[in-house]
Amino acid sequence: MSIIPSFFGGRDPFPMDIWDPFNFNNFPFSTALSVPRPQFSSETATFVNARIDWKETPEAHIFKADLPGLKKEEVKVEVEEGRVLQISGERNKEQEEKNDKWHRIERSSGNFLRRFRLPENAKMDQVKAAMENGVLTVTVPKEEVKKPDVKAIEISG
């Protein structure tokens, strides 16, 4: 039994369209628990479970996606207006030969699409992506936070 239907009112706390952790209206514990989950087209529903981790370091936002069996040519990383990072791709079905006899098909195929709204400190013009051993790493550098100058004041008296 899933905890999502009972605890989150049947709503996925992290919908797959655009997840914006900086918009508190999208936070899973908001009062708007009755908002319906967006539906996916049949094209993306097959392979929509592309798992992506997002971590923030002092220097950058780093996304890691497990995409086993995909080549970098089959994956697209795009930056949209409004600081939206989009990661998409397609895993094609294996060609079936006439004389093949399949015993089991468990690997998924189809399209996937994940979108993330980034905070204002993201340098969207310096996004870098690399693919190694089926793991896509997207690095979005952050603008440096200017530390306020602190001046010590001598106390007289």
Side-chain angles (χ1 to χ4, degrees):
M1 180 173 201
S2 173
I3 192 168
I4 290 174
S6 61
F7 191 70
F8 295 107
R11 179 173 95 79
D12 187 349
F14 306 108
M16 298 296 224
D17 58 344
I18 296 180
W19 187 58
D20 185 356
F22 305 101
N23 179 352
F24 292 107
N25 293 329
N26 289 340
F27 194 67
F29 302 107
S30 71
T31 57
L33 290 176
S34 61
V35 176
R37 180 178 175 192
Q39 297 300 314
F40 296 101
S41 69
S42 60
E43 295 172 354
T44 59
T46 317
F47 185 48
V48 75
N49 62 349
R51 304 289 185 198
I52 299 178
D53 297 336
W54 175 3
K55 78 174 176 179
E56 182 176 355
T57 68
E59 299 81 28
H61 294 275
I62 300 171
F63 296 83
K64 289 195 178 232
D66 288 338
L67 303 172
L70 290 182
K71 301 179 194 114
K72 67 179 186 176
E73 296 80 22
E74 298 170 317
V75 178
K76 283 195 332 189
V77 177
E78 300 170 307
V79 174
E80 298 178 355
E81 282 188 48
R83 298 181 327 278
V84 174
L85 174 69
Q86 179 172 299
I87 301 171
S88 62
E90 182 175 4
R91 177 176 290 145
N92 294 320
K93 252 186 182 176
E94 209 170 293
Q95 288 288 26
E96 294 184 27
E97 297 294 324
K98 245 184 176 177
N99 299 328
D100 287 348
K101 178 180 176 185
W102 290 88
H103 292 278
R104 190 168 199 89
I105 299 174
E106 292 184 349
R107 296 182 303 147
S108 59
S109 62
N111 298 327
F112 69 92
L113 170 70
R114 297 293 305 274
R115 300 172 81 204
F116 301 90
R117 186 173 312 280
L118 296 170
E120 292 189 29
N121 67 348
K123 293 182 178 179
M124 300 305 286
D125 58 335
Q126 296 180 18
V127 175
K128 296 202 181 329
M131 185 102 156
E132 187 175 336
N133 295 327
V135 178
L136 173 70
T137 302
V138 180
T139 304
V140 183
K142 291 170 35 179
E143 292 179 13
E144 292 181 31
V145 177
K146 186 175 179 182
K147 295 179 183 175
D149 293 333
V150 178
K151 180 180 175 186
I153 306 298
E154 187 176 322
I155 303 173
S156 62

